[in-house]
Amino acid sequence: MSATSTTILNLPDQSTATLPKKNYINNEHGLLSWLLTGDHKRIAILYLISITFFFFIGGAFAGLIRLELLTPQPDLVASDTYNKFFTMHGIIMIFLFLVPSVPATLGNFLIPIMLGAKDLAFPKINLLSWYLYMAGGTFTLAALVLGGVDTGWTFTTPLSTHYLNTHVITAATAIFIAGFSSIFTGLNFIVTIHRMRAPGMTWFRMPLFVWSNYAASILMVLGTPVLAIAIVLVALERTFGIGVFDPTKGGDPLLFQHLFWFYSHPAVYIMILPGMGVISEVISTFSRKRVFGYTAVAFSSVAIALFGFFVWEHHMFIMGVSNYSALVFSLLTMLVAVPSAIKIFNWAFTLQQGSITFETPMLYAFGFMGLFTIGGLTGVFLGSLGMDIHLTETYFIVAHFHFVMVGGMLMAFLAGIHFWWPKMTGRMYPESLSKLAAVITFIGFNLTFLPQFILGYLGMPRRYHAYPPEYQVLNVLSTAGATVLGVGYLLPMLYLAWSLKYGAIAGNNPWQATGLEWQIQSPPLTENFIEIPIVDHEAYDYEWLEHKTKHEVTTVG
Amino acid sequence: MHISPVLWQFLVKWLNASALFPREASTIAPYADALYFFLLLMTVVGVILVGALLFGFSVMYRKEKHPVATQIEGSTLLEATWTIIPLGIFLVVFVWGALLYFRIYNPPTNAMNIYVVGKQWMWKAEHPGGQHEINALHVPIGKPVQLTMISQDVFHSFSIPDFRVKREVIPGRYTTVWFQATEPGTYHIFCTQYCGTNHSQMIGEVTALSPEDYQKWTQESTSGMSLAQNGERLFASMGCNSCHSGSAAARGPNLAGVYGSKLQLAGGSEVLVNDAYLRDAILNPSQHVTAGYAPIMPTYQGQISEEGLIDLVEYVKTLQTNYRVQQTLTTSQSDQAAPTTPGMVKP
Ligand code: HEM
Ligand SMILES: [Cu+2]
């Protein structure tokens, strides 16, 4: 085993270096050893593979949508088919990609290690979560293969309950099951973070990645059951006509909106918070600085999580809710915007007085900050009551949430995957190719989604299969951008796969980062640590790290 | 907007001419655009600020120039600054947006009313004079027009981008929106709430006409029977008049003058009689028994179309009332809009 390298990119010489003889990957052999594993790292890899698979299916639908929108006429596919495309795109991207992405892959892999634990609190439940996720995915694919669903991912009643003959219940079942996967992951994280921290790992020594996953877990555990209830009611109403949402039976069609958004608004924070955790880690590492205002960043995650439960009605401002409740929810929405603003400035000021390098994860993190700023500020347009009237349900919404979810979350996910890839696999990816991919993604992204803000202000409604011809130019730009973006997403897929075999050996700590995960071998041993570490320093303590690397030779098995 | 009117006009003209901006065709539109420009400015400044910080620090503190990082804990002063300033800006946006919202959703009391029924996949407009249109809406310029809307099946949403107004159209309840067109012309009506297969074909056109042209249009396109007259016919054919005959011995309450009054219910509660109430009383009579009467009225659920209900409501409205109450159903003014007229409350 090579000694820890001391400068950031001074990788060990590939000819002599080898992967550690014993690690979690080669510890056991055979497919069954993976499918029955209790090791959080192996489960993370299972998730990574399956989530990537669904991401590319969801992406294929995005491509089809954009291709259809190249021309104003409905010429590529019929309306029903188009509606199924955006429904599948939405369901897959939200429930099978965004919600589990960072927590289930990176969170699963890293949280126990970051806390100095040997595994999550409930390894078997962790494996069960993955099976539930796969079952949810299978039902989604079944709905697709059987003929599709065209409810939109929002399942609006009474459209979904009385007016569609497609496979609504199959898709609802998929979401119901995937929801339980997310509840169990959240529970597992919460218990692990409370109970399994190594000696000396106090709450305020935890990496911010752990904090943000903690906040997201609270949301998963408290919010997802409400979605489950809404979905069950849809299924019951569809099968037995119980009438809770049906006005002709005395039901209230707005009730579904309340239930659905009570989950789905917090859900956007389930999606984005873990990504924010990644950004904190990456920015700190590559500027070699403690995160500016660590405590504020940690608390703002929890604040976002809690306040996130009190803004759902901002999805309903035009739905005939009372003017006064709209006022209250608009005000609360403005208040939740503040912690996000705080984080952006904290990250920017982390760079100040730093010693900055620009590796691939850092490029993605910069991309995140730019795009998330735009996504966040355009959210303020929508929180502002009078403006929301004009903008909601148009392409402005589509642009806004793609900036947050795709520009923000996906950038963070890619930053995280690149950042921890050496730890997960023991190998480096090709540096210049990965930087190129980051740049392509950024350019493609902006070209795809900036025109959609303008389309939205012009009034083009979302979920439109055909549109008036005056909107064509901007749509063509957007489709061109999507093509570039597609290339940006395919590249990492290819070179990361390539690196599994041919990548340079990474060593324990290629980035010279401070987290506990970087102080053990890459890839780690099944039990993570030979001995449970005793933590005597804060997260992001680069002086401690320097001291340590100077005075000791790493001991690994 | 604290921007000189001349400059503002110029800016708007220029933007209207550019394809990046929808036409400003209602009295609301300039207000919406003013807020939009403020928000745009906020975004541009915000993005430039963050970009400049990232770029500036990256240049100043890149490793080659600054090999050793200096650790900083944080700074309460800085953090307070970037908490309070965004909070302040967001609060301004909140107040501004709220004022605009109330302007868009509170109709003036002199607005003329048109009914709109949304259904998969068309918009049906019903003018009080009996003109019916599909996927079209004719309105006069310079006069506030209020739409009272309801859906016959799923959620739809009525949007006129050039007017900057939009409102969800919901099954089982009336929602309203109002506007005052400023320029003659035709403008898109979109359905913006996903409503099934032909959602994207649920497009219509508003034609804003000068008052004279509008007058001409109403005369030319009348069906010969106003909504209220239609309602009267229905009132007889559905058998409503057998109980609501207006005589003292009738088994149902007299409906004359009931619209806009506060009605005493059997349970002791009072309700305001508006469109929504009347519709509901026809469909779910057992839930709204007028004090002093037996709960014998049958339900008309499933027997009358939304248009029929609108006609009936229009008819009841016209029954011997000496004042017309404008639709303010979901607005904050609805309580004031309907003063209780003495003698109107049934025993
Ligand atoms: C190349 C990348 C992408 C393109 C070009 C794209 C394009 C689109 C378009 C055009 C729509 C609007 C459909 C409509 O309203 O008619 C849409 C909706 C949506 N997209 Fe994407 N998208 C991309 C990537 C993603 C990703 C990566 C995610 C999530 C991780 C995502 C999540 C969603 C969601 C949740 C919706 C809403 C679906 C609905 O309206 O039901 N998209 N996308
Ligand atoms: Cu519609």
Side-chain angles (χ1 to χ4, degrees), chain B residues 257 259-262 272 323 325 333-342 344:
Chain B
Y259 186 80
S261 70
K262 290 222 169 109
L272 168 69
Y323 62 89
V325 179
Q333 289 169 1
S334 56
D335 293 340
Q336 291 91 303
T340 314
T341 317
M344 206 116 314

Side-chain angles (χ1 to χ4, degrees), chain B residues 67-85:
Chain B
V68 181
T70 318
Q71 298 302 324
I72 306 166
E73 276 283 305
S75 150
T76 316
L77 182 68
L78 268 177
E79 295 197 47
T81 316
W82 66 58
T83 307
I84 291 169
I85 293 179

